[in-house]
């Protein structure tokens, strides 16, 4: 399949669909990016950032980089009406132990219904889904954001996330039948990327991103080169069992949870519900060990997601050198790419080339 470029344009908070139109604002961003490359500078913060999705006053110290995300790997054929283009803003701060990021991007809908259960008029329960020809969901799903960090993949600095993405042609990838629109894996077994993925219902209630990595594995597993970091428990799983109704419902939780069930508060399902009522399709608990390295919290407000992120600059697990980017040298640049998922399982908005991160030292 060929990659699709969106033709929708942001004008304030309104979208003009199917019209080629360039605002002066977007044009300025494009010219700036083309002239100097995309770069963000991490600034020393005088106080730790509280990761709650609310903008701390320290963020005013960091200059934002604005990036237009307008590339799609494919166009779903199941009536997908999600974003075809968005603008993402990223800022960074750091201190002696941690690095922080603030991401903000336009998304007019807060999407949290990932394969929810719904009670039908006849009393039965159904998983809501509307998968496309790649067998992936674009209707009943969650919003997500992924960040890929270059550890040692040749070509990433120039091409960004595109370098690790391999597209299916005529239903085959590396000679293997595959329905996906593209798979991530590196070209050599010595090359890896660090993948941080924020998920609107699977990780956000736990104030985390899912910390994983990409290597050269392919043909031998369902996810090809993408893997979670080492874990000692926790995580998420589908709210199912051998019956035709949900396994669990929420007991008491600290925040409303209509589309997910918290592991710590789950109770066995008892049907006291009315037709049209929904129960979350996933049970979630905090990740542990290396998979829990990245703390994050996203808040949706005024047609935007705002996501605060925190990770130790240097991690110290058995496989950290292979699985994690290490911010251990403030004098060198680091390269990454960002992708946003609007209510979509695999279809996502991304940018070409990589973004350079540098550290501002001194006052």
């Amino acid at each position: 399949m060929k990659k699709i470029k969106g033709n929708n344009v942001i004008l304030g908070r309104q979208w003009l669909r199917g019209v080629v139109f360039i605002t002066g604002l977007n044009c300025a961003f494009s010219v700036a990016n083309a002239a100097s490359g995309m770069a963000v500078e991490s600034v020393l913060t005088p106080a730790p950032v509280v990761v709650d999705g609310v903008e701390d006053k320290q963020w005013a110290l960091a200059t934002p980089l604005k990036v237009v995300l307008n590339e799609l790997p494919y166009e779903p054929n199941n009536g997908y009406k999600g974003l075809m283009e968005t603008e993402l803003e990223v800022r960074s701060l750091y201190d002696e132990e941690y690095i922080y990021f603030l991401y903000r991007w336009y998304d007019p809908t807060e999407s949290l219904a990932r394969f929810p259960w719904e009670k039908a008029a006849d009393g039965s329960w159904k998983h809501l889904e509307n998968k496309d020809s790649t067998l992936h969901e674009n209707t009943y799903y969650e919003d997500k954001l992924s960040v890929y960090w270059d550890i040692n993949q040749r070509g990433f600095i120039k091409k960004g996330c595109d370098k690790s993405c391999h597209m299916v042609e005529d239903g085959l990838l590396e000679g293997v039948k595959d329905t996906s629109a593209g798979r991530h894996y590196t070209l050599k077994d010595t090359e890896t990327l660090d993948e941080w993925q924020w998920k609107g219902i699977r990780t956000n209630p736990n104030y985390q991103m899912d910390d994983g990595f990409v290597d050269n594995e392919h043909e031998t597993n369902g996810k090809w080169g993408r893997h979670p970091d080492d874990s000692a428990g926790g995580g998420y799983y589908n709210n199912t069992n051998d019956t035709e109704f949900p396994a669990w419902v929420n007991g008491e939780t600290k925040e409303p949870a209509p589309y997910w069930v918290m592991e710590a508060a789950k109770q066995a399902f008892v049907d006291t519900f009315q037709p049209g009522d929904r129960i979350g399709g996933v049970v979630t608990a905090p990740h542990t060990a290396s998979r829990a390295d990245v703390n994050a919290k996203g808040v949706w407000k005024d047609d935007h997601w705002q996501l605060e992120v925190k990770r130790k600059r240097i991690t110290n697990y058995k496989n950290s050198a292979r699985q994690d980017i290490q911010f251990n040298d403030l004098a060198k640049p680091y390269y990454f790419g960002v992708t946003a998922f609007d209510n979509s399982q695999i279809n996502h908005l991304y940018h070409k080339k990589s973004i350079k991160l540098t550290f501002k030292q001194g006052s």
Side-chain angles (χ1 to χ4, degrees):
M1 296 184 182
K2 92 177 165 177
K3 300 176 184 179
I4 307 297
K5 184 169 182 177
N7 60 354
N8 300 338
V9 178
I10 308 169
L11 184 58
R13 291 181 186 166
Q14 303 298 317
W15 283 82
L16 302 178
R17 294 190 177 272
V19 179
V20 178
F21 185 91
I22 301 177
T23 67
L25 188 62
N26 282 345
C27 183
F29 293 148
S30 299
V31 171
N33 288 341
S36 60
M38 293 183 290
V40 60
E41 187 175 54
S42 191
V43 179
L44 184 65
T45 176
V49 173
V50 177
V51 178
D52 56 6
V54 179
E55 188 172 327
D56 300 57
K57 63 181 181 180
Q58 299 96 297
W59 286 114
L61 301 172
T63 301
L65 170 70
K66 296 181 179 180
V67 182
V68 175
L69 308 181
N70 60 2
E71 300 285 340
L72 289 166
Y74 78 111
E75 188 171 11
N77 60 352
N78 63 339
Y80 174 65
K81 299 187 185 334
L83 291 177
M84 299 291 285
E85 178 175 314
T86 191
E87 181 181 276
L88 179 139
E89 178 182 292
V90 56
R91 287 183 259 180
S92 181
L93 297 168
Y94 75 97
D95 56 30
E96 185 175 342
E97 186 175 7
Y98 292 97
I99 186 167
Y100 308 91
F101 295 92
L102 179 65
Y103 298 97
R104 178 177 165 82
W105 68 99
Y106 172 81
D107 185 342
T109 58
E110 180 186 26
S111 304
L112 301 175
R114 180 186 182 274
F115 298 130
W117 287 95
E118 184 173 275
K119 189 171 183 178
D122 63 3
S124 64
W125 286 86
K126 301 184 184 299
H127 256 138
L128 299 183
E129 62 179 37
N130 179 32
K131 295 183 179 181
D132 62 24
S133 59
T134 72
L135 304 182
H136 292 93
E137 185 63 34
N138 301 286
T139 304
Y140 300 104
Y141 216 73
E142 65 193 317
D143 292 332
K144 299 186 292 183
L145 188 84
S146 287
V147 183
Y148 283 91
W149 289 97
D150 178 36
I151 296 178
N152 61 352
Q153 186 189 29
R154 184 175 181 180
F156 184 95
I157 294 175
K158 181 178 180 180
K159 292 189 176 181
C161 300
D162 246 358
K163 184 61 180 178
S164 68
C165 188
H166 306 272
M167 310 303 292
V168 174
E169 294 184 8
D170 300 323
L172 296 176
L173 181 58
E174 297 280 354
V176 178
K177 289 184 178 180
D178 193 54
T179 59
S180 178
R183 298 286 190 181
H184 281 281
Y185 57 88
T186 60
L187 295 179
K188 296 182 179 181
D189 59 10
T190 56
E191 297 178 343
T192 55
L193 301 171
D194 191 1
E195 179 193 66
W196 304 352
Q197 190 169 80
W198 171 82
K199 301 168 181 177
I201 68 167
R202 285 176 289 171
T203 69
N204 199 47
N206 303 310
Y207 288 68
Q208 290 181 333
M209 292 180 85
D210 201 343
D211 191 4
F213 67 102
V214 179
D215 65 10
N216 182 244
E217 186 171 355
H218 56 284
E219 300 183 33
T220 58
N221 67 71
K223 292 193 174 182
W224 295 65
R226 296 179 61 234
H227 311 275
D229 276 13
D230 299 333
S231 176
Y236 45 80
Y237 55 91
N238 292 330
N239 185 17
T240 58
N241 52 25
D242 294 331
T243 66
E244 295 182 354
F245 47 80
W248 309 99
V249 295
N250 274 308
E252 294 185 9
T253 61
K254 293 181 180 179
E255 59 182 301
Y259 287 118
W260 62 90
V261 175
M262 300 300 292
E263 176 72 29
K266 72 180 183 182
Q267 297 179 358
F269 171 78
V270 177
D271 195 348
T272 59
F273 297 87
Q274 301 298 316
D277 287 348
R278 291 183 180 183
I279 293 175
V282 67
V283 182
T284 183
H287 291 302
T288 57
S290 182
R291 193 172 178 180
D293 279 344
V294 188
N295 300 119
K297 182 62 177 179
V299 173
W300 185 86
K301 184 180 180 181
D302 296 334
D303 295 344
H304 283 76
W305 277 107
Q306 182 161 285
L307 176 66
E308 282 188 305
V309 177
K310 166 186 173 181
R311 204 208 74 174
K312 285 188 175 182
R313 283 172 39 206
I314 302 171
T315 62
N316 291 290
Y317 293 94
K318 177 182 177 181
N319 295 308
S320 287
R322 179 172 173 79
Q323 297 179 358
D324 293 336
I325 185 73
Q326 302 295 328
F327 303 101
N328 54 2
D329 185 350
L330 300 186
K332 65 176 269 190
Y334 299 85
Y335 295 88
F336 67 101
V338 185
T339 63
F341 298 69
D342 179 25
N343 190 38
S344 182
Q345 192 169 2
I346 64 169
N347 201 32
H348 55 275
L349 287 161
Y350 67 98
H351 57 89
K352 291 184 176 180
K353 302 184 179 181
S354 65
I355 301 171
K356 180 171 72 171
L357 171 78
T358 57
F359 288 88
K360 182 179 181 181
Q361 300 181 64
S363 57

